[in-house]
Amino acid sequence: MTNEHEQLTFRILDVIQPEKLLINEGCIPEEITAFPLYEYVADGVIKPSSGIKRNQDIILFYDVSQASEQLKEKYLKSIMELEVRSTDIQQSPSIPSTLGEKTTTVLQLTKTYSTSIMGLTGCYSDLTKSERAVLGCDFVTLEHTKGEIHLKPVIKLNEGYSKDMYLRVDPSLLNETLLVKISGELTELIQKSDGSYRLAQGETLDSEKKYTIS
């Protein structure tokens, strides 16, 4: 019988921390943001990150292991090696998953006061036109069914008027100034295998009801 320790495998990743790029390059190059972004959890354990850094102790990094040798040579002074562990097909519940779960990040735009009257809420109303353009137009509504959260695309803005409307964003693509402005109002959702979502650990969602997990 194979025990937990025998199931463990180790691999070395080539990673780049955003802070290193800011020091060495003065920016985070677009060709680097195309690579997966992860958060360091503990020795040997990482998870995907949406780019939200809720406190200064969180360590984020891009996994550039699959990058070309030319790109690695270009950013050699920013690359470091990180040893992570993963399990084979059978994973013990006591061993954290190396890659974790897919996250989606949303920013609430409106709050429904009745079935037809809505008000713009939060930091979004204070953003400039150019900042809103950077955030994009991936508008969605959130539906709660039997404790599950479903995201529904808003094709026409007036379709969302009977429900609270959100903007789906990718924080890893935003500059630091804009991210600071909106980070306090971002909510992380975890996508489940059936395509629905649940709140990430410690998140709350202010919608028709208050949904909280701890």
Side-chain angles (χ1 to χ4, degrees):
M1 181 176 178
T2 304
N3 61 36
E4 294 176 3
H5 296 291
E6 290 173 334
Q7 284 184 343
L8 288 175
T9 59
F10 291 85
R11 56 197 173 108
I12 304 295
L13 300 183
D14 291 324
V15 304
I16 299 180
Q17 290 181 247
E19 292 83 359
K20 281 278 189 182
L21 289 169
L22 291 174
I23 292 171
N24 295 332
E25 309 296 331
C27 65
I28 301 176
E30 231 176 280
E31 58 187 342
I32 297 298
T33 61
F35 290 93
L37 184 68
Y38 293 98
E39 177 183 333
Y40 176 86
V41 177
D43 286 347
V45 182
I46 62 175
K47 69 176 184 179
S49 173
S50 62
I52 303 176
K53 201 166 183 179
R54 298 189 183 279
N55 63 66
Q56 294 302 311
D57 296 328
I58 291 177
I59 300 173
L60 301 179
F61 57 86
Y62 293 98
D63 176 11
V64 296
S65 302
Q66 303 304 313
S68 66
E69 291 305 316
Q70 291 88 344
L71 188 141
K72 288 184 180 181
E73 181 66 27
K74 182 177 179 180
Y75 298 103
L76 184 59
K77 61 183 178 181
S78 297
I79 294 178
M80 60 182 289
E81 290 187 341
L82 179 68
E83 184 180 79
V84 300
R85 70 172 183 255
S86 62
T87 59
D88 293 326
I89 297 174
Q90 298 296 322
Q91 178 169 310
S92 167
S94 63
I95 303 174
S97 168
T98 298
L99 297 182
E101 301 165 296
K102 184 178 179 181
T103 62
T104 291
T105 306
V106 294
L107 172 68
Q108 186 169 4
L109 300 183
T110 59
K111 188 173 181 62
T112 308
Y113 300 103
S114 71
T115 56
S116 59
I117 300 175
M118 303 189 75
L120 204 59
T121 185
C123 62
Y124 187 79
S125 59
D126 297 323
L127 299 179
T128 65
K129 186 176 180 180
S130 61
E131 287 174 328
R132 292 185 186 186
V134 170
L135 291 178
C137 301
D138 188 4
F139 300 107
V140 296
T141 56
L142 271 62
E143 297 180 353
H144 302 88
T145 306
K146 296 180 180 179
E148 295 182 338
I149 299 173
H150 296 269
L151 299 187
K152 181 181 178 182
V154 176
I155 308 302
K156 296 180 181 178
L157 291 184
N158 59 5
E159 290 180 357
Y161 280 8
S162 62
K163 298 174 183 176
D164 291 345
M165 193 155 54
Y166 294 77
L167 183 64
R168 185 159 38 189
V169 300
D170 184 349
S172 67
L173 302 180
L174 306 180
N175 64 55
E176 187 175 357
T177 301
L178 180 53
L179 187 56
V180 166
K181 287 184 178 182
I182 68 172
S183 62
E185 297 181 28
L186 294 176
T187 300
E188 282 188 348
L189 304 174
I190 304 296
Q191 188 170 32
K192 302 194 291 185
S193 58
D194 63 1
S196 66
Y197 294 83
R198 63 177 175 80
L199 289 167
Q201 190 75 18
E203 292 282 32
T204 61
L205 193 60
D206 183 15
S207 189
E208 294 154 359
K209 294 182 179 179
K210 193 78 172 180
Y211 292 82
T212 310
I213 64 171
S214 57

